[in-house]
Structures are given as structure tokens and as C-alpha cells.
Amino acid sequence: MADFLEQIATLSTRSKVAERQALTEEATKTAVVLPFLQALGFDVFNLEEVMPEFIADVGMKKGEKVDFAIKIDGKIAMLVEAKPINSKLGETQFSQLFRYFHVTEARLAILTNGREAWFFSDTDEPNKMDKRPFFKFDFQNYDNLQVQELARFQKGCFAIESIIEAASNLKYTRAAASYLKGQLDAPDDDFIRLIGRQIHDGSITKAVAEQLKPAIQAALDEIIRDRIQDKLSITLRGDPPAAKNEPAPEVEEPELETTDEEREGFMIVRAIAAKIAPIERITMRDAKSYCAILMDDNNRRPVCRLYFNSPTTKNIGLFSADKVETKIRVDKPSDLYKHTGAIEAAIQSYLGS
């Protein structure tokens, strides 16, 4: 696996160079796509394994060509369609691949522009390519778990049935995760009503839904925090004590990137606090899903939270006197000034303690 990780790291560098220099589809194939197929263990110079410009006649259309047909034991295992690295992968891009899929024995198809690779199968209907990829790999932005998923497609361990099973699981897991993440950021009315019917007696009117929304958001956040804490507790309890004179293994901390908007939000909260408290007491502690603004760097003294990581929505979390959090949608960090009263009230509650 270490060798494969190294190969993918090299491929990542190639992709970045190609993004600056490769202007055509052919250049993208040479710079990234062929090295990618090599990394998966296929001999790109052997026509028994990698067949370029594979002809796949589709109905009345004769001479339709797929960029590459990948063969294992003489049978077509995957189809690969390449696009220029400066193009965006999308519906118009894979209509060709969709047509090719059902006239070959392949059950896997890859659409790539040298920056991303999208993997398709026929999990919805046999011999008909799904409209959505079950797995996407970004050559320039990935983690080790994604590389492990990618390793499934290596020639040496290629097993189509297990790949299809994993594809089905991945597709539904990621669809559910995407939906739930959206609800965590900004729950819609249907989601509020779904939960509301379990916790409220009577009709869920618009007014009732608005009343329940902050409580449901706070409950979701609490569940996530509790699950994280439970996992941490299990890990700590399960670790055997270090042997005598044996140094404890280093724990790799997850990388966090504090964004410019989070820093701006932090400075705005400090500016608000300056009226009533020394600004040195207002601190910032970044986390994966939010950036916490605390009093005295104490997570029991939350001032507010900045939920600025979503590419589509921004929220701030404000705390009541009993530390119940309410999320409020904002457009930009300066909108924090609109909530000066709530921020000051949170800070004031800690000044006497």
C-alpha cells in the first residue's frame, strides 16, 4: 500500500503540472491518464491490457470510439473516457460513455479529466450505466481512505463482484451523508416536520416548525459531540499501557485550516468584547465542523461558534444563558455585528465567575 500511496502522490504532482500546461485531451492522456492506468497496474504498452481508441458501435452509429478499454484475462473490465484537464466533468461529458457502456461487457467505467476521476457502474439497472458516479477521486486533493478505495481498482486485486457491492454501498452511504450534512447546516421544512412529529403533540404548523428548528439543530450538534466523545473514550480505554521504558507512539493530529473568514469573525467578536472585557480573554479554537470562540480558552465558556466551512451556507451559533445553542444564517463575517447583544450577553455571563 505504501508503494501505491507514493505512486498516487507522484500522479498528484503530474496533475498539478498538467493543469498549467496541458491544453488538449491528448496532452492530458499522456501527462496523467496513462500514468494513472499504470499506477493501477496495467501495462499501457500492451494491447491485450490497454486498448486505445476502442471501437464500440452503438445502434446505427458505427465506429464510436472509447478512449481506452481495459482488459483483464482477455475480457473488457473497464472503459475509460478522457477529457481535457481544463474541462469540467458533467452530464454532457459522460453521455458518450453512457452510450458505450451497454454494448460492451464492462461493468465499470471511468470518466477523467486528469484532475478528477469519476467511477460508474450499473448498480441501478444491469448493463445500464448509472447516471451518478459511485466514487470520485480528486488527484490533487485526497486522503488515505480515498486512496484505499482507489486501490480496489488495481489489476492485482481486481474483483468485480466485491467492487460492485462496494459501489452500491458507497453510492447510498454518500447520498445519505450528503443529505444529512445539508440538514446539519440548514435543516429544511420537511426534515423539521419529520423530527417534529416525534417530539410535538399536534399539527406542525409553520410557527411550530420555526419554534422547533433551533432546538432540533442544537440536538443534532449535541448528538455529534456525544458520539465523538464516546469514540474518544472507547479509544482511550482500549489503548494498552505503554511498556516500561518504551516511548508512547506519536498521535497524528488531524490537520485543521483556519480560514480567513474565521479569523475575520474572531477579530469581530474581539471588537465587540472590547467594550466589556479584556480582549485577551477572548480566544479561538478551531474544529473540523466549526470554529469556536471561547472565553478564557475554556470550552465550558462558549461565546459563539462560526460555521463557515460549507461552500454554500454560513451560520453562527449563539448561546443562551443556559448554554443552548441557536444557529443563525449569515452571509458574511461582518453580520456578526448584527448580533452584538447576544455576544455581549454571553461574555457578560462569564465575567463574574
Side-chain angles (χ1 to χ4, degrees):
M1 187 65 188
D3 288 344
F4 188 58
L5 279 165
E6 189 174 330
Q7 288 176 308
I8 298 305
T10 301
L11 200 61
S12 179
T13 302
R14 286 178 174 271
S15 177
K16 291 170 184 175
V17 172
E19 196 165 38
R20 297 193 301 269
Q21 298 181 9
L23 302 179
T24 65
E25 182 178 307
E26 289 304 314
T28 302
K29 290 179 188 176
T30 302
V32 186
V33 180
L34 288 173
F36 171 48
L37 297 178
Q38 281 184 315
L40 293 178
F42 296 97
D43 183 352
V44 298
F45 302 107
N46 182 354
L47 296 180
E48 291 298 317
E49 289 192 13
V50 179
M51 174 68 76
E53 299 294 309
F54 179 77
I55 296 174
D57 292 337
V58 182
M60 298 297 291
K61 290 190 174 185
K62 302 298 180 182
E64 289 270 296
K65 293 179 180 179
V66 185
D67 286 320
F68 300 100
I70 311 301
K71 296 181 179 181
I72 296 178
D73 297 329
K75 296 182 179 180
I76 298 175
M78 292 187 287
L79 301 176
V80 180
E81 182 69 12
K83 298 296 177 184
I85 200 164
N86 55 9
S87 67
K88 291 186 177 180
L89 301 184
E91 213 170 291
T92 55
Q93 304 284 350
F94 65 77
S95 56
Q96 269 183 309
L97 199 54
F98 188 86
R99 292 199 305 273
Y100 304 152
F101 192 86
H102 79 279
V103 296
T104 70
E105 58 192 330
R107 295 195 66 191
L108 289 172
I110 302 174
L111 177 68
T112 180
N113 60 0
R115 167 65 197 255
E116 290 182 284
W118 290 8
F119 292 76
F120 297 84
S121 187
D122 58 352
T123 57
D124 290 334
E125 191 175 333
N127 205 34
K128 185 177 180 181
M129 193 178 92
D130 298 337
K131 292 183 179 179
R132 293 183 180 180
F134 65 86
F135 176 53
K136 293 181 181 181
F137 187 82
D138 188 329
F139 293 114
Q140 299 180 23
N141 184 20
Y142 58 85
D143 57 36
N144 285 357
L145 288 176
Q146 290 167 324
V147 176
Q148 288 177 27
E149 289 291 341
L150 189 65
R152 290 177 181 273
F153 304 96
Q154 290 178 287
K155 179 188 172 185
C157 57
F158 192 92
I160 188 62
E161 293 305 326
S162 65
I163 289 174
I164 298 301
E165 183 181 353
S168 182
N169 292 336
L170 277 172
K171 181 179 70 172
Y172 292 117
T173 299
R174 290 195 169 127
S178 177
Y179 170 75
L180 291 172
K181 186 178 184 303
Q183 299 307 317
L184 286 170
D185 290 339
D188 59 33
D189 292 342
D190 289 340
F191 187 80
I192 294 297
R193 289 192 178 94
L194 174 68
I195 306 299
R197 282 193 287 270
Q198 311 303 316
I199 61 176
H200 176 77
D201 293 328
S203 300
I204 308 296
T205 63
K206 187 174 181 179
V208 170
E210 286 299 317
Q211 184 180 356
L212 292 175
K213 188 172 183 177
I216 291 173
Q217 283 183 297
L220 291 171
D221 288 338
E222 185 176 338
I223 289 169
I224 291 171
R225 286 196 300 271
D226 288 348
R227 285 182 68 86
I228 291 171
Q229 187 59 50
D230 287 346
K231 287 182 182 293
L232 287 173
S233 298
I234 290 169
T235 301
L236 291 171
R237 286 199 302 271
D239 285 344
K244 223 172 195 181
N245 300 323
E246 184 181 322
E250 289 184 6
V251 177
E252 203 172 289
E253 292 292 331
E255 290 185 12
L256 292 172
E257 182 179 355
T258 302
T259 65
D260 290 340
E261 287 187 318
E262 288 171 336
R263 291 190 185 92
E264 183 182 348
F266 171 55
M267 297 307 293
I268 289 171
V269 174
R270 275 195 157 188
I272 293 170
K275 301 176 186 176
I276 56 175
I279 61 170
E280 294 78 16
R281 295 184 66 183
I282 308 301
T283 58
M284 175 174 64
R285 193 183 298 180
D286 208 353
K288 189 171 183 181
S289 57
Y290 59 81
C291 182
I293 311 298
L294 308 170
M295 189 80 167
D296 303 322
D297 199 24
N298 186 337
N299 59 15
R300 296 179 182 274
R301 297 184 172 191
V303 175
C304 65
R305 286 178 179 166
L306 311 178
Y307 296 85
F308 291 173
N309 291 332
S310 169
T312 55
T313 59
K314 292 183 179 63
N315 291 279
I316 58 170
L318 299 173
F319 291 86
S320 63
D322 52 357
K323 297 182 183 177
V324 173
E325 183 183 15
T326 301
K327 280 187 181 178
I328 298 172
R329 181 79 65 86
V330 295
D331 295 320
K332 51 191 180 299
S334 60
D335 285 351
L336 282 160
Y337 284 114
K338 297 177 183 178
H339 305 283
T340 295
I343 291 170
E344 287 182 342
I347 295 168
Q348 191 72 51
S349 67
Y350 307 129
L351 290 178
S353 57

